[in-house]
Amino acid sequence: MKSNTEKFGKAPHQPSLWTRADALKVHADDPTTTQPLVSADFPVLSNEVFIWDTMPLRDLDGNITSVDGWSVIFTLTADRHPSDPQYIDENGNYDITRDWNDRHGRAKMYYWFSRTGKDWKLGGRVMAEGVSPTAREWAGTPILLNEQGDVDLYYTAVTPGATIVKVRGRVVTTEHGVSMVGFEKVKPLFEADGKMYQTEAQNPFWGFRDPWPFRDPNDGKLYMLFEGNVAGERGSHKVGKAEIGDVPPGYEDVGNSRFQTACVGIAVARDEDGDDWEMLPPLLTAVGVNDQTERPHFVFQDGKYYLFTISHTFTYADGVTGPDGVYGFVADSLFGPYVPLNGSGLVLGNPSSQPFQTYSHCVMPNGLVTSFIDSVPTDESGTQIRIGGTEAPTVEIKIKGQQTFVVAEYDYGYIPPMLDVTLE
Ligand code: FRU
């Protein structure tokens, strides 16, 4: 096997750092980087299932793609249990919050289709029961490969372990709808190595998931982004000068921030088909800043690489904070250096009055941002909430140089295609 150095002819890149100083610039409720309030009377996609992470069908260049005029999305999905005794509380009421909070353990990949880019119809499960090797089918990316309708679904097979995998199938359309056929053989691609990316043995709270394959617009090669943590035993990471950045007097204390070690990982394919991958050092690290940089993805615009990733308030380190939402970084070349958008990294956060209203934002190349509704307060004090498990209103952002601006809001789950492929 060739090493990185032999292959690229030089030492691999240095990861860019999201520093504590950058994160000190994060401010909730700036209207240009805050998602408009989601009303508590939102419609739900389905009373049978919860959905959360939404993965629009796209090509390897990032274009959201419809097939024969049908838009297609994949979602992480779990049954709702309104009459399961397990989720009935002592007053005989359905405890939807507990049901919702338990969903990750039974996440399955489903698909939906639509003629309008909204009003999604449930297609069904992508893989039959027993096909996926683990209990959880976690986030990834469906890629339309060609005009025959071949689809590579990259996703994360979780519990036991966490493995980036892919499964090939085909999308078939009729006048009446869309079906997914095949998706019968899951191929493991790679797991965390413990040298660049933290393993479960190094930290039981490790993250290694959310593959996002793409073709680099400049070198034409096939790469993949994913979520990771920086390798090393939990608690062994150093939050030094570089990770702290240029902070004002009084902000040098890093507390216990060594436990937060998120990174955006990258791998390069050794073959054309993306069956054989080599992990490279992370593109971006957030040691001492945040423990999760989830669902990383790119928008390629104006010759630049806009790297987006979702993160939470609860995963921030001691002494820094920010809203749940999507954060972004920009570079002139794939391997960086990346600088935080808007100075801080924050691109679209939840308003502080509704801190959990949406999550799992995906910024599409047309500037539209899709996300799901988590929970919305139904009273002034915020103690009563309505659980979502459905698509949020789509928001549009404008990306200009190193800045972004919220400019519009559209219907719930509006994910219009950027190009249509006529299947042969
Ligand atoms: C984001 C996420 C993903 C993961 C999935 C698990 O909402 O945490 O990183 O794949 O949800 O449900």
Side-chain angles (χ1 to χ4, degrees):
M1 196 181 14
K2 280 191 176 171
S3 71
N4 291 334
T5 316
E6 281 172 85
K7 189 141 161 200
F8 294 100
K10 57 181 166 75
H13 61 276
Q14 290 291 319
S16 300
L17 269 58
W18 187 24
T19 67
R20 290 174 63 83
D22 299 328
L24 285 174
K25 289 180 181 285
V26 172
H27 294 298
D29 298 323
D30 172 336
T32 66
T33 54
T34 298
Q35 182 146 9
L37 285 171
V38 173
S39 162
D41 64 3
F42 56 81
V44 297
L45 217 49
S46 162
N47 287 313
E48 269 76 59
V49 294
F50 294 123
I51 64 105
W52 61 108
D53 296 7
T54 298
M55 299 156 261
L57 183 67
R58 64 164 175 84
D59 64 18
L60 275 173
D61 302 314
N63 302 301
I64 311 300
T65 308
S66 58
V67 281
D68 297 333
W70 289 104
S71 287
V72 179
I73 54 172
F74 287 41
T75 59
L76 293 193
T77 306
D79 289 340
R80 296 177 185 247
H81 296 121
S83 46
D84 183 332
Q86 203 193 331
Y87 293 106
I88 304 298
D89 67 17
E90 62 272 17
N91 303 318
N93 297 320
Y94 172 38
D95 187 349
I96 185 173
T97 303
R98 203 154 50 78
D99 195 11
W100 169 243
N101 290 338
D102 282 355
R103 73 190 186 280
H104 301 286
R106 58 178 199 277
K108 306 290 179 219
M109 200 61 80
Y110 277 63
Y111 70 97
W112 306 71
F113 54 87
S114 157
R115 277 284 187 211
T116 58
K118 53 187 187 176
D119 310 312
W120 298 97
K121 291 194 185 49
L122 183 56
R125 217 173 140 179
V126 178
M127 286 168 281
E129 181 64 27
V131 167
S132 193
T134 57
R136 307 171 182 213
E137 300 168 15
W138 276 13
T141 310
I143 301 284
L144 181 68
L145 294 171
N146 51 40
E147 291 173 356
Q148 285 77 52
D150 291 321
V151 172
D152 265 348
L153 173 62
Y154 290 79
Y155 72 98
T156 324
V158 177
T159 315
T163 309
I164 308 282
V165 301
K166 80 170 183 180
V167 55
R168 185 165 294 188
R170 202 155 50 85
V171 54
V172 176
T173 68
T174 68
E175 257 171 65
H176 308 289
V178 169
S179 44
M180 293 291 162
V181 299
F183 299 98
E184 280 159 0
K185 213 172 151 288
V186 175
K187 185 179 168 74
L189 299 178
F190 54 89
E191 296 173 29
D193 60 347
K195 296 194 176 77
M196 292 183 283
Y197 298 99
Q198 197 173 46
T199 58
E200 185 172 17
Q202 293 173 331
N203 175 7
F205 310 106
W206 95 125
F208 194 77
R209 54 181 184 260
D210 303 348
W212 197 89
F214 65 99
R215 194 177 304 290
D216 176 23
N218 287 310
D219 73 15
K221 283 201 253 178
L222 182 57
Y223 294 90
M224 186 197 298
L225 297 178
F226 52 88
E227 169 187 1
N229 288 97
V230 174
E233 294 296 323
R234 180 172 157 78
S236 72
H237 297 78
K238 298 272 175 291
V239 183
K241 271 201 162 72
E243 289 77 15
I244 295 171
D246 299 314
V247 293
Y251 288 84
E252 301 85 355
D253 182 6
V254 300
N256 280 325
S257 67
R258 68 182 179 284
F259 293 108
Q260 279 68 43
T261 62
C263 68
V264 171
I266 185 165
V268 61
R270 294 194 188 97
D271 63 335
E272 283 285 307
D273 286 341
D275 288 325
D276 185 14
W277 293 84
E278 175 178 1
M279 280 181 277
L280 302 175
L283 281 189
L284 181 86
T285 61
V287 174
V289 176
N290 202 306
D291 206 33
Q292 292 187 1
T293 45
E294 306 192 283
R295 297 195 69 197
H297 55 284
F298 273 124
V299 168
F300 309 114
Q301 188 189 300
D302 306 328
K304 295 187 191 304
Y305 292 79
Y306 287 92
L307 171 63
F308 295 99
T309 176
I310 54 172
S311 196
H312 292 286
T313 304
F314 84 90
T315 54
Y316 267 100
D318 275 358
V320 279
T321 189
D324 277 30
V326 61
Y327 291 76
F329 304 83
V330 59
D332 291 327
S333 66
L334 175 57
F335 291 104
Y338 284 86
V339 299
L341 289 171
N342 303 316
S344 65
L346 181 60
V347 168
L348 189 66
N350 282 333
S352 56
S353 60
Q354 302 200 152
F356 304 113
Q357 66 170 19
T358 61
Y359 193 58
S360 209
H361 302 73
C362 171
V363 184
M364 296 175 273
N366 53 11
L368 299 189
V369 188
T370 173
S371 61
F372 72 87
I373 300 177
D374 186 314
S375 65
V376 176
T378 53
D379 66 350
E380 281 291 303
S381 67
T383 47
Q384 301 293 320
I385 55 166
R386 180 169 176 225
I387 295 289
T390 188
E391 296 289 342
T394 295
V395 170
E396 182 174 359
I397 61 169
K398 191 172 268 188
I399 303 170
K400 281 200 223 161
Q402 299 192 0
Q403 290 193 305
T404 66
F405 299 86
V406 172
V407 292
E409 190 182 29
Y410 300 93
D411 215 344
Y412 299 90
Y414 180 49
I415 303 173
M418 296 170 56
L419 55 91
D420 184 57
V421 170
T422 305
L423 298 184
E424 285 172 358

PDB file of all heavy atoms in Angstrom, residues 166 222 268-277:
ATOM      1  N   LYS A 166     -21.191   1.053   2.135  1.00  0.00           N
ATOM      2  CA  LYS A 166     -22.064   1.468   1.037  1.00  0.00           C
ATOM      3  C   LYS A 166     -22.822   0.274   0.493  1.00  0.00           C
ATOM      4  O   LYS A 166     -22.401  -0.875   0.650  1.00  0.00           O
ATOM      5  CB  LYS A 166     -21.291   2.199  -0.042  1.00  0.00           C
ATOM      6  CG  LYS A 166     -20.532   1.359  -0.990  1.00  0.00           C
ATOM      7  CD  LYS A 166     -20.053   2.283  -2.107  1.00  0.00           C
ATOM      8  CE  LYS A 166     -19.335   1.505  -3.162  1.00  0.00           C
ATOM      9  NZ  LYS A 166     -18.867   2.369  -4.232  1.00  0.00           N
ATOM     10  N   LEU A 222     -12.152  11.289  -6.566  1.00  0.00           N
ATOM     11  CA  LEU A 222     -13.254  10.965  -5.664  1.00  0.00           C
ATOM     12  C   LEU A 222     -12.760  11.000  -4.216  1.00  0.00           C
ATOM     13  O   LEU A 222     -11.783  10.323  -3.875  1.00  0.00           O
ATOM     14  CB  LEU A 222     -13.770   9.566  -6.028  1.00  0.00           C
ATOM     15  CG  LEU A 222     -14.963   9.015  -5.258  1.00  0.00           C
ATOM     16  CD1 LEU A 222     -16.172   9.935  -5.366  1.00  0.00           C
ATOM     17  CD2 LEU A 222     -15.311   7.626  -5.813  1.00  0.00           C
ATOM     18  N   VAL A 268      -9.708   9.545   0.511  1.00  0.00           N
ATOM     19  CA  VAL A 268      -9.616   9.588  -0.955  1.00  0.00           C
ATOM     20  C   VAL A 268      -9.801   8.163  -1.492  1.00  0.00           C
ATOM     21  O   VAL A 268      -9.318   7.206  -0.881  1.00  0.00           O
ATOM     22  CB  VAL A 268      -8.269  10.225  -1.417  1.00  0.00           C
ATOM     23  CG1 VAL A 268      -7.065   9.425  -0.943  1.00  0.00           C
ATOM     24  CG2 VAL A 268      -8.230  10.402  -2.928  1.00  0.00           C
ATOM     25  N   ALA A 269     -10.513   8.045  -2.612  1.00  0.00           N
ATOM     26  CA  ALA A 269     -10.724   6.716  -3.210  1.00  0.00           C
ATOM     27  C   ALA A 269      -9.486   6.316  -4.005  1.00  0.00           C
ATOM     28  O   ALA A 269      -8.890   7.150  -4.688  1.00  0.00           O
ATOM     29  CB  ALA A 269     -11.949   6.730  -4.110  1.00  0.00           C
ATOM     30  N   ARG A 270      -9.120   5.046  -3.874  1.00  0.00           N
ATOM     31  CA  ARG A 270      -7.982   4.542  -4.654  1.00  0.00           C
ATOM     32  C   ARG A 270      -8.446   4.031  -6.015  1.00  0.00           C
ATOM     33  O   ARG A 270      -7.644   3.728  -6.872  1.00  0.00           O
ATOM     34  CB  ARG A 270      -7.320   3.385  -3.905  1.00  0.00           C
ATOM     35  CG  ARG A 270      -6.651   3.774  -2.599  1.00  0.00           C
ATOM     36  CD  ARG A 270      -5.753   2.619  -2.158  1.00  0.00           C
ATOM     37  NE  ARG A 270      -5.230   2.824  -0.832  1.00  0.00           N
ATOM     38  CZ  ARG A 270      -5.758   2.301   0.269  1.00  0.00           C
ATOM     39  NH1 ARG A 270      -6.829   1.537   0.204  1.00  0.00           N
ATOM     40  NH2 ARG A 270      -5.212   2.519   1.441  1.00  0.00           N
ATOM     41  N   ASP A 271      -9.759   3.878  -6.168  1.00  0.00           N
ATOM     42  CA  ASP A 271     -10.304   3.332  -7.415  1.00  0.00           C
ATOM     43  C   ASP A 271     -11.395   4.272  -7.937  1.00  0.00           C
ATOM     44  O   ASP A 271     -11.830   5.192  -7.254  1.00  0.00           O
ATOM     45  CB  ASP A 271     -10.879   1.937  -7.171  1.00  0.00           C
ATOM     46  CG  ASP A 271     -12.055   2.003  -6.199  1.00  0.00           C
ATOM     47  OD1 ASP A 271     -12.110   2.951  -5.385  1.00  0.00           O
ATOM     48  OD2 ASP A 271     -12.928   1.133  -6.262  1.00  0.00           O
ATOM     49  N   GLU A 272     -11.860   4.014  -9.143  1.00  0.00           N
ATOM     50  CA  GLU A 272     -12.892   4.841  -9.788  1.00  0.00           C
ATOM     51  C   GLU A 272     -14.259   4.696  -9.112  1.00  0.00           C
ATOM     52  O   GLU A 272     -15.040   5.638  -9.058  1.00  0.00           O
ATOM     53  CB  GLU A 272     -13.055   4.392 -11.248  1.00  0.00           C
ATOM     54  CG  GLU A 272     -11.968   4.867 -12.160  1.00  0.00           C
ATOM     55  CD  GLU A 272     -12.121   6.346 -12.474  1.00  0.00           C
ATOM     56  OE1 GLU A 272     -13.207   6.751 -12.918  1.00  0.00           O
ATOM     57  OE2 GLU A 272     -11.150   7.096 -12.246  1.00  0.00           O
ATOM     58  N   ASP A 273     -14.539   3.492  -8.631  1.00  0.00           N
ATOM     59  CA  ASP A 273     -15.893   3.186  -8.143  1.00  0.00           C
ATOM     60  C   ASP A 273     -16.123   3.530  -6.684  1.00  0.00           C
ATOM     61  O   ASP A 273     -17.240   3.434  -6.192  1.00  0.00           O
ATOM     62  CB  ASP A 273     -16.190   1.692  -8.324  1.00  0.00           C
ATOM     63  CG  ASP A 273     -16.446   1.360  -9.778  1.00  0.00           C
ATOM     64  OD1 ASP A 273     -16.743   2.306 -10.537  1.00  0.00           O
ATOM     65  OD2 ASP A 273     -16.339   0.177 -10.145  1.00  0.00           O
ATOM     66  N   GLY A 274     -15.043   3.889  -5.970  1.00  0.00           N
ATOM     67  CA  GLY A 274     -15.219   4.193  -4.561  1.00  0.00           C
ATOM     68  C   GLY A 274     -15.463   2.950  -3.720  1.00  0.00           C
ATOM     69  O   GLY A 274     -16.286   2.952  -2.798  1.00  0.00           O
ATOM     70  N   ASP A 275     -14.744   1.871  -4.056  1.00  0.00           N
ATOM     71  CA  ASP A 275     -14.841   0.656  -3.234  1.00  0.00           C
ATOM     72  C   ASP A 275     -13.638   0.531  -2.312  1.00  0.00           C
ATOM     73  O   ASP A 275     -13.618  -0.300  -1.418  1.00  0.00           O
ATOM     74  CB  ASP A 275     -14.900  -0.586  -4.144  1.00  0.00           C
ATOM     75  CG  ASP A 275     -16.234  -0.685  -4.853  1.00  0.00           C
ATOM     76  OD1 ASP A 275     -17.248  -0.297  -4.239  1.00  0.00           O
ATOM     77  OD2 ASP A 275     -16.255  -1.117  -6.024  1.00  0.00           O
ATOM     78  N   ASP A 276     -12.614   1.333  -2.568  1.00  0.00           N
ATOM     79  CA  ASP A 276     -11.342   1.177  -1.870  1.00  0.00           C
ATOM     80  C   ASP A 276     -10.859   2.573  -1.449  1.00  0.00           C
ATOM     81  O   ASP A 276     -10.579   3.417  -2.303  1.00  0.00           O
ATOM     82  CB  ASP A 276     -10.356   0.538  -2.870  1.00  0.00           C
ATOM     83  CG  ASP A 276      -9.030   0.221  -2.220  1.00  0.00           C
ATOM     84  OD1 ASP A 276      -8.950   0.245  -0.984  1.00  0.00           O
ATOM     85  OD2 ASP A 276      -8.068  -0.033  -2.982  1.00  0.00           O
ATOM     86  N   TRP A 277     -10.782   2.817  -0.149  1.00  0.00           N
ATOM     87  CA  TRP A 277     -10.553   4.178   0.346  1.00  0.00           C
ATOM     88  C   TRP A 277      -9.333   4.254   1.243  1.00  0.00           C
ATOM     89  O   TRP A 277      -9.029   3.314   1.965  1.00  0.00           O
ATOM     90  CB  TRP A 277     -11.767   4.651   1.148  1.00  0.00           C
ATOM     91  CG  TRP A 277     -12.981   4.835   0.312  1.00  0.00           C
ATOM     92  CD1 TRP A 277     -13.882   3.873  -0.055  1.00  0.00           C
ATOM     93  CD2 TRP A 277     -13.422   6.050  -0.296  1.00  0.00           C
ATOM     94  NE1 TRP A 277     -14.853   4.423  -0.845  1.00  0.00           N
ATOM     95  CE2 TRP A 277     -14.604   5.755  -1.007  1.00  0.00           C
ATOM     96  CE3 TRP A 277     -12.933   7.359  -0.308  1.00  0.00           C
ATOM     97  CZ2 TRP A 277     -15.299   6.732  -1.724  1.00  0.00           C
ATOM     98  CZ3 TRP A 277     -13.630   8.324  -1.013  1.00  0.00           C
ATOM     99  CH2 TRP A 277     -14.799   8.002  -1.714  1.00  0.00           C
TER     100      TRP A 277
END
